[in-house]
Amino acid sequence: MGKIPNYEQKFHTLVSRQGGCCAIAAAHGEFAAPTELHHARCHDTKWTRMKWPLFIDSVVNLLAVSHEWHMKRGGFGHWPERQIEWYEARMRKNPVLAARWNCRDLQ
């Protein structure tokens, strides 16, 4: 869908958090270097962007993945709506947390 804000910061944060390995490959006992970000917990659609604007491009929803593994296992990591709602509500109540999870500075 849209361009992910602060893409490079999020990519580096997630690669570090994931130990330099694609999250999808690691879940299958393999190693692959991450090459891109994937909206894992919730797909990036117009509807999800309107419903969960803080969550959709946050490091909570994104995973660093290898393009090859992403194409093999595109639906990896989905969460139920109630769990996504909990994270969105938490970020709405806490702008500092929302900024941190979206890799942006508070003005």
Side-chain angles (χ1 to χ4, degrees):
M1 183 101 210
K3 182 183 171 205
I4 297 171
N6 306 313
Y7 187 98
E8 291 300 318
Q9 289 171 289
K10 290 174 184 176
F11 183 79
H12 291 296
T13 296
L14 290 166
V15 168
S16 176
R17 184 184 295 173
Q18 295 169 204
C21 185
C22 164
I24 303 169
H28 291 87
E30 306 246 354
F31 177 84
T35 58
E36 61 189 38
L37 292 177
H38 169 53
H39 289 88
R41 310 303 178 205
C42 174
H43 284 306
D44 182 16
T45 67
K46 269 187 177 178
W47 183 81
T48 58
R49 281 193 172 278
M50 288 184 339
K51 190 166 183 174
W52 303 304
L54 297 172
F55 177 82
I56 197 68
D57 287 329
S58 72
V59 295
V60 178
N61 186 37
L62 299 168
L63 290 175
V65 300
S66 134
H67 181 75
E68 181 182 340
W69 276 92
H70 183 197
M71 293 298 103
K72 283 195 246 183
R73 311 258 188 221
F76 179 81
H78 280 254
W79 282 351
E81 281 193 28
R82 73 184 183 292
Q83 191 169 2
I84 296 166
E85 292 281 356
W86 184 87
Y87 278 95
E88 180 72 23
R90 192 164 176 210
M91 285 189 272
R92 283 185 185 152
K93 291 177 185 173
N94 188 337
V96 173
L97 183 63
R100 185 171 357 132
W101 284 350
N102 279 288
C103 296
R104 60 184 158 80
D105 295 325
L106 287 175
Q107 306 297 350

